[in-house]
Amino acid sequence: MGWLVASGGYEVTLRDSALVARNAKGKELRTVPAALRDDPVVVGLRQLTEWLGRHEAQCRADIERWLVRSLPVPVAVLADVWPDETWRTALTDLVVGVLDDAGGFDPDAVGFLRDATAGQIGVVNLDGDTVRLPAERVVIPHPVTLTELDDLREFAADLGVKQSVDQLFRQIFVRPAGLDPAALRIGEFSGGRYAELRHATSRATKLGYPVRGGNAVCRVFEGGVTVEARFWIGSDDPYYQTETGDLVFTDRKGTALPLGQVGPVAWSEGNRMAAALYAGRVVDKDESEEQA
């Protein structure tokens, strides 16, 4: 963005979403003068910055929803938003797979997204080649479903890839082999103490998890069905102490699912939520010394 004329002989511009001013002699100032606070040009740029911030956050939220819910994304949609710098930055270098007519994709034939046009995507594959692939729909796979995850992570590190949306280096959880498939609860993250319930609720909200009926909730659409992970954080007075409880998975009707029926994405995301909330607990001195 070029320099815009403001009052008092000043000029202003946006640089990396920050407002910058210079005086009539062309010298950049450390801060924007207070006299420009209500200048129409400055007000307009600040409003633009706020809008861009909301737009960026919404783009990332939409992409993360596509990832967590394994939603098919029409390439026509990607092509439409690609000219938008914010969308393009958020989408670039995400690992994508081309969906076939049956809605599946080859996990060994994924690549890092670099371009999207009508009916085609451009990717960098694991061989380091930039190729164009015909595609009508793609998926942004959850990392727990990627068979070549370690290779993709290593290749991304070699390329210096920095994903705007947490995909490749997202924390994942895999169901233990010896788990009782008929069990209904996971108690690994129970007993995490918070001095006040409102602290737990605030942490859940900041992490993007709604709280309903005393549970932090993570909803995943997987294998054609909706599964909801519920992690108990408490439902008493917001200023009372609370402890985390069990993690359970339910169907759309709220019926608890046997753990053996929980898909890999729902399992990973539910445990990721519970682990993140358990990590915010009050750590006693003895526990801290044990961890050290």
Side-chain angles (χ1 to χ4, degrees):
M1 175 179 288
W3 291 93
L4 302 177
V5 178
S7 57
Y10 293 102
E11 292 182 321
V12 292
T13 189
L14 286 180
R15 183 178 299 151
D16 296 329
S17 299
L19 191 63
V20 181
R22 68 184 183 186
N23 59 24
K25 295 181 180 180
K27 180 182 179 181
E28 290 191 15
L29 308 177
R30 292 184 178 180
T31 60
V32 178
L36 294 180
R37 183 178 59 184
D38 298 323
D39 184 274
V41 175
V42 173
V43 171
L45 286 179
R46 283 183 173 146
Q47 290 175 339
L48 175 61
T49 300
E50 292 171 359
W51 181 88
L52 289 172
R54 292 194 300 270
H55 179 49
E56 180 180 0
Q58 187 61 56
C59 290
R60 292 182 179 181
D62 287 345
I63 293 171
E64 183 152 357
R65 186 172 68 254
W66 297 345
L67 182 152
V68 172
R69 299 188 180 184
S70 303
L71 295 177
V73 183
V75 172
V77 171
L78 298 183
D80 284 344
V81 301
W82 199 261
D84 183 323
E85 182 178 354
T86 302
W87 269 109
R88 187 167 63 253
T89 299
L91 288 165
T92 296
D93 283 331
L94 289 177
V95 174
V96 297
V98 177
L99 290 174
D100 56 30
D101 293 338
F105 73 99
D106 183 352
D108 296 324
V110 297
F112 294 89
L113 185 63
R114 291 294 174 87
D115 189 28
T117 56
Q120 280 191 337
I121 58 170
V123 300
V124 176
N125 60 27
L126 275 174
D127 293 326
D129 298 325
T130 301
V131 297
R132 300 199 67 82
L133 304 173
E136 295 299 326
R137 299 182 305 161
V138 298
V139 65
I140 302 171
H142 190 282
V144 79
T145 67
L146 292 170
T147 57
E148 302 294 336
L149 180 58
D150 290 340
D151 289 341
L152 286 164
R153 285 175 170 174
E154 182 179 352
F155 190 51
D158 291 341
L159 288 179
V161 165
K162 294 182 179 180
Q163 295 182 319
S164 296
V165 176
D166 191 10
Q167 183 195 24
L168 274 187
F169 295 95
R170 190 181 194 86
Q171 185 182 24
I172 61 172
F173 293 81
V174 179
R175 181 168 37 224
L179 182 77
D180 179 4
L184 298 176
R185 298 176 177 276
I186 299 172
E188 180 181 352
F189 306 106
S190 63
R193 181 173 63 85
Y194 279 81
E196 297 178 8
L197 172 59
R198 64 191 181 99
H199 297 164
T201 303
S202 175
R203 182 173 177 84
T205 302
K206 288 180 180 178
L207 291 171
Y209 302 114
V211 178
R212 296 197 299 269
N215 291 290
V217 175
C218 175
R219 181 173 292 179
V220 175
F221 184 76
E222 182 178 10
V225 298
T226 299
V227 175
E228 194 169 86
R230 299 180 181 181
F231 183 55
W232 179 259
I233 60 173
S235 61
D236 294 324
D237 189 299
Y239 292 90
Y240 284 4
Q241 179 177 296
T242 191
E243 283 191 359
T244 59
D246 291 338
L247 171 66
V248 300
F249 297 87
T250 70
D251 60 18
R252 293 184 63 180
K253 297 180 180 179
T255 303
L257 293 171
L259 299 183
Q261 295 181 17
V262 179
V265 176
W267 179 274
S268 184
E269 288 299 308
N271 279 270
R272 179 174 180 266
M273 172 183 67
L277 291 173
Y278 184 73
R281 70 195 185 283
V282 176
V283 179
D284 296 329
K285 182 180 179 180
D286 292 343
E287 184 180 358
S288 179
E289 290 176 350
E290 288 178 3
Q291 292 176 349

